[in-house]
Amino acid sequence: MTSQAKISLVSAALLASLGLASGSALAVQQGDILVRAGVANVSPTGESDELTSIAAGAKVEADDATSLGINFTYMATDNIGVELLAAWPFSHDINGMGSISGLGKVAETDQLPPTVTVQWHFMPSNNIRPFVGAGVNYTTFFNTQTTGALTGVGLDLDSSWGLAAEAGVDIDINSDWFVSGQVWYMDIDTDATIGNGIGTYSVSIDPWAYMIGIGTKF
Ligand code: NI
């Protein structure tokens, strides 16, 4: 083999290995649409104001809820993504607090918290791709009803607009699929109207939301 031929061979091998290397990474770039689906948990941190028309010192808070989440990220540039978070409804128990903490569960509600964030992807061409984001959350409540000791008391929850912040990481499994972990903080506050208008009270929900999922890109 001539030295020229050896150089050609080595070059070909290098090119092939480069091709394999880039082929094995699910690099993200402008124009890609990332889709992630998985298990999502919404963990509220807030509680209501004092529900004076129920009892002095009465408060409520929403319990954790788990559901299925799905989100779509459009890469506007190699580094900037726009994500829509969607989900199946989350069903939350609403528990008595303060002077009515002994009542346990007093209501339940379902909610959907669609959230749009603009993300910064730090290392879009890596096999491990961390990102952060900020945006807006809209939450709508439905199937809201009282139960237990408050059965029969009317309850209505207004929808909520608020800011959201997000962090996450995608980790390649192979050239088509990745696992993802994401966390959001959502500023969700609702007005609860009790007993056909005998009182309206602010309820802070302000949850952390977590999602572990698997993703791919188109
Ligand atoms: Ni809040």
Side-chain angles (χ1 to χ4, degrees):
M1 195 181 280
T2 65
S3 59
Q4 186 104 38
K6 277 182 185 166
I7 288 167
S8 296
L9 244 177
V10 169
S11 303
L14 275 176
L15 282 174
S17 67
L18 281 176
L20 278 178
S22 63
S24 65
L26 190 150
V28 167
Q29 59 191 7
Q30 180 177 10
D32 287 345
I33 294 175
L34 309 177
V35 180
R36 306 178 187 86
V39 176
N41 179 265
V42 173
S43 181
T45 66
E47 61 180 22
S48 71
D49 286 350
E50 186 178 343
L51 309 177
T52 51
S53 62
I54 298 289
K59 291 186 171 188
V60 291
E61 72 174 6
D63 212 348
D64 288 19
T66 300
S67 186
L68 297 175
I70 186 166
N71 65 62
F72 305 90
T73 301
Y74 171 71
M75 297 304 297
T77 74
D78 288 354
N79 293 97
I80 296 173
V82 180
E83 180 186 84
L84 170 65
L85 169 66
W88 275 259
F90 293 88
S91 296
H92 294 265
D93 288 348
I94 297 174
N95 299 320
M97 296 282 292
S99 66
I100 60 165
S101 61
L103 298 184
K105 178 180 173 182
V106 293
E108 57 196 18
T109 190
D110 292 346
Q111 56 94 358
L112 278 173
T115 302
V116 174
T117 46
V118 176
Q119 302 169 329
W120 179 258
H121 291 249
F122 296 95
M123 299 183 287
S125 58
N126 266 35
N127 292 71
I128 297 175
R129 295 180 296 278
F131 53 89
V132 293
V136 175
N137 164 268
Y138 171 77
T139 298
T140 180
F141 299 90
F142 51 97
N143 295 336
T144 302
Q145 59 182 23
T146 52
T147 184
L150 296 190
T151 299
V153 176
L155 175 62
D156 182 66
L157 300 176
D158 282 356
S159 53
S160 162
W161 285 96
L163 298 178
E166 173 192 15
V169 63
D170 295 331
I171 301 170
D172 287 345
I173 304 170
N174 57 35
S175 57
D176 293 316
W177 297 95
F178 56 86
V179 292
S180 68
Q182 288 171 276
V183 57
W184 294 259
Y185 181 79
M186 300 171 179
D187 185 15
I188 301 176
D189 301 286
T190 180
D191 281 338
T193 300
I194 294 172
N196 301 324
I198 63 169
T200 297
Y201 305 94
S202 178
V203 181
S204 167
I205 298 170
D206 297 346
W208 291 96
Y210 309 91
M211 183 170 135
I212 299 290
I214 117 162
T216 189
K217 75 164 186 178
F218 295 94

mmCIF file of all heavy atoms in Angstrom, residues 8 26 34 50 60 77 85 94 99-100 117-118 151 167 171 206-207:
data_model
loop_
_atom_site.group_PDB
_atom_site.id
_atom_site.type_symbol
_atom_site.label_atom_id
_atom_site.label_comp_id
_atom_site.label_asym_id
_atom_site.label_seq_id
_atom_site.Cartn_x
_atom_site.Cartn_y
_atom_site.Cartn_z
ATOM 1 N N SER A 8 -5.322 8.019 2.345
ATOM 2 C CA SER A 8 -6.706 7.983 1.872
ATOM 3 C C SER A 8 -7.568 7.101 2.769
ATOM 4 O O SER A 8 -8.690 7.457 3.121
ATOM 5 C CB SER A 8 -6.773 7.456 0.440
ATOM 6 O OG SER A 8 -6.112 8.344 -0.413
ATOM 7 N N LEU A 26 -28.476 12.929 18.893
ATOM 8 C CA LEU A 26 -29.716 13.528 18.439
ATOM 9 C C LEU A 26 -29.573 15.037 18.601
ATOM 10 O O LEU A 26 -30.126 15.633 19.498
ATOM 11 C CB LEU A 26 -30.885 12.972 19.258
ATOM 12 C CG LEU A 26 -32.311 13.276 18.822
ATOM 13 C CD1 LEU A 26 -33.212 12.141 19.243
ATOM 14 C CD2 LEU A 26 -32.814 14.563 19.417
ATOM 15 N N LEU A 34 -39.456 19.171 18.990
ATOM 16 C CA LEU A 34 -39.230 18.140 20.008
ATOM 17 C C LEU A 34 -40.569 17.805 20.645
ATOM 18 O O LEU A 34 -41.355 18.703 20.959
ATOM 19 C CB LEU A 34 -38.278 18.653 21.095
ATOM 20 C CG LEU A 34 -36.966 19.282 20.620
ATOM 21 C CD1 LEU A 34 -36.168 19.804 21.804
ATOM 22 C CD2 LEU A 34 -36.161 18.273 19.819
ATOM 23 N N GLU A 50 -58.212 33.296 54.546
ATOM 24 C CA GLU A 50 -59.154 32.807 55.561
ATOM 25 C C GLU A 50 -60.577 32.839 55.001
ATOM 26 O O GLU A 50 -61.047 33.869 54.505
ATOM 27 C CB GLU A 50 -59.052 33.696 56.800
ATOM 28 C CG GLU A 50 -59.885 33.197 57.959
ATOM 29 C CD GLU A 50 -59.723 34.092 59.188
ATOM 30 O OE1 GLU A 50 -58.749 34.872 59.248
ATOM 31 O OE2 GLU A 50 -60.580 34.010 60.086
ATOM 32 N N VAL A 60 -58.129 26.435 53.167
ATOM 33 C CA VAL A 60 -58.012 25.175 52.415
ATOM 34 C C VAL A 60 -56.722 25.209 51.613
ATOM 35 O O VAL A 60 -56.153 26.271 51.353
ATOM 36 C CB VAL A 60 -59.206 24.950 51.452
ATOM 37 C CG1 VAL A 60 -60.490 24.670 52.223
ATOM 38 C CG2 VAL A 60 -59.372 26.101 50.481
ATOM 39 N N THR A 77 -34.426 28.926 16.862
ATOM 40 C CA THR A 77 -33.026 28.977 16.441
ATOM 41 C C THR A 77 -32.388 27.712 17.016
ATOM 42 O O THR A 77 -33.065 26.913 17.657
ATOM 43 C CB THR A 77 -32.275 30.212 16.990
ATOM 44 O OG1 THR A 77 -32.025 30.017 18.395
ATOM 45 C CG2 THR A 77 -33.081 31.506 16.803
ATOM 46 N N LEU A 85 -46.732 23.277 26.889
ATOM 47 C CA LEU A 85 -46.970 22.154 27.794
ATOM 48 C C LEU A 85 -48.465 21.890 27.852
ATOM 49 O O LEU A 85 -49.257 22.801 28.107
ATOM 50 C CB LEU A 85 -46.451 22.486 29.198
ATOM 51 C CG LEU A 85 -46.859 21.509 30.312
ATOM 52 C CD1 LEU A 85 -46.244 20.134 30.098
ATOM 53 C CD2 LEU A 85 -46.464 22.075 31.671
ATOM 54 N N ILE A 94 -59.015 18.957 47.724
ATOM 55 C CA ILE A 94 -58.860 20.220 48.442
ATOM 56 C C ILE A 94 -59.165 19.932 49.905
ATOM 57 O O ILE A 94 -60.262 19.463 50.249
ATOM 58 C CB ILE A 94 -59.798 21.301 47.861
ATOM 59 C CG1 ILE A 94 -59.410 21.581 46.398
ATOM 60 C CG2 ILE A 94 -59.742 22.574 48.704
ATOM 61 C CD1 ILE A 94 -60.350 22.515 45.665
ATOM 62 N N SER A 99 -58.462 26.208 61.173
ATOM 63 C CA SER A 99 -59.490 25.754 62.119
ATOM 64 C C SER A 99 -60.340 24.616 61.567
ATOM 65 O O SER A 99 -61.089 23.989 62.318
ATOM 66 C CB SER A 99 -60.394 26.936 62.510
ATOM 67 O OG SER A 99 -61.131 27.365 61.378
ATOM 68 N N ILE A 100 -60.249 24.356 60.264
ATOM 69 C CA ILE A 100 -61.027 23.231 59.716
ATOM 70 C C ILE A 100 -60.106 22.107 59.216
ATOM 71 O O ILE A 100 -60.514 21.286 58.387
ATOM 72 C CB ILE A 100 -62.003 23.684 58.592
ATOM 73 C CG1 ILE A 100 -61.250 24.316 57.411
ATOM 74 C CG2 ILE A 100 -63.065 24.619 59.139
ATOM 75 C CD1 ILE A 100 -62.111 24.432 56.142
ATOM 76 N N THR A 117 -43.594 28.460 27.250
ATOM 77 C CA THR A 117 -42.329 29.037 27.703
ATOM 78 C C THR A 117 -41.397 29.243 26.517
ATOM 79 O O THR A 117 -41.440 28.499 25.540
ATOM 80 C CB THR A 117 -41.619 28.134 28.733
ATOM 81 O OG1 THR A 117 -41.631 26.793 28.265
ATOM 82 C CG2 THR A 117 -42.277 28.202 30.096
ATOM 83 N N VAL A 118 -40.562 30.261 26.631
ATOM 84 C CA VAL A 118 -39.463 30.455 25.683
ATOM 85 C C VAL A 118 -38.219 29.940 26.378
ATOM 86 O O VAL A 118 -37.921 30.326 27.512
ATOM 87 C CB VAL A 118 -39.305 31.940 25.298
ATOM 88 C CG1 VAL A 118 -38.097 32.132 24.392
ATOM 89 C CG2 VAL A 118 -40.576 32.434 24.617
ATOM 90 N N THR A 151 -70.199 19.200 51.906
ATOM 91 C CA THR A 151 -71.102 18.752 50.837
ATOM 92 C C THR A 151 -72.316 19.664 50.751
ATOM 93 O O THR A 151 -72.923 19.995 51.778
ATOM 94 C CB THR A 151 -71.574 17.300 51.092
ATOM 95 O OG1 THR A 151 -70.425 16.451 51.098
ATOM 96 C CG2 THR A 151 -72.527 16.832 49.991
ATOM 97 N N ALA A 167 -36.999 24.574 34.078
ATOM 98 C CA ALA A 167 -35.654 24.068 33.804
ATOM 99 C C ALA A 167 -35.786 22.604 33.416
ATOM 100 O O ALA A 167 -36.718 21.918 33.857
ATOM 101 C CB ALA A 167 -34.760 24.209 35.033
ATOM 102 N N ILE A 171 -31.640 13.813 27.687
ATOM 103 C CA ILE A 171 -30.452 12.938 27.640
ATOM 104 C C ILE A 171 -30.694 11.850 26.595
ATOM 105 O O ILE A 171 -31.650 11.073 26.719
ATOM 106 C CB ILE A 171 -30.182 12.310 29.018
ATOM 107 C CG1 ILE A 171 -29.953 13.410 30.065
ATOM 108 C CG2 ILE A 171 -28.988 11.354 28.956
ATOM 109 C CD1 ILE A 171 -29.909 12.914 31.494
ATOM 110 N N ASP A 206 -49.784 28.044 43.315
ATOM 111 C CA ASP A 206 -48.345 28.213 43.085
ATOM 112 C C ASP A 206 -47.569 26.904 43.138
ATOM 113 O O ASP A 206 -46.707 26.714 44.011
ATOM 114 C CB ASP A 206 -47.761 29.201 44.113
ATOM 115 C CG ASP A 206 -48.358 30.593 43.973
ATOM 116 O OD1 ASP A 206 -49.002 30.870 42.946
ATOM 117 O OD2 ASP A 206 -48.193 31.411 44.901
ATOM 118 N N PRO A 207 -47.849 25.981 42.220
ATOM 119 C CA PRO A 207 -47.233 24.665 42.325
ATOM 120 C C PRO A 207 -45.845 24.566 41.681
ATOM 121 O O PRO A 207 -45.496 25.340 40.786
ATOM 122 C CB PRO A 207 -48.200 23.780 41.534
ATOM 123 C CG PRO A 207 -48.673 24.695 40.446
ATOM 124 C CD PRO A 207 -48.780 26.067 41.101
#
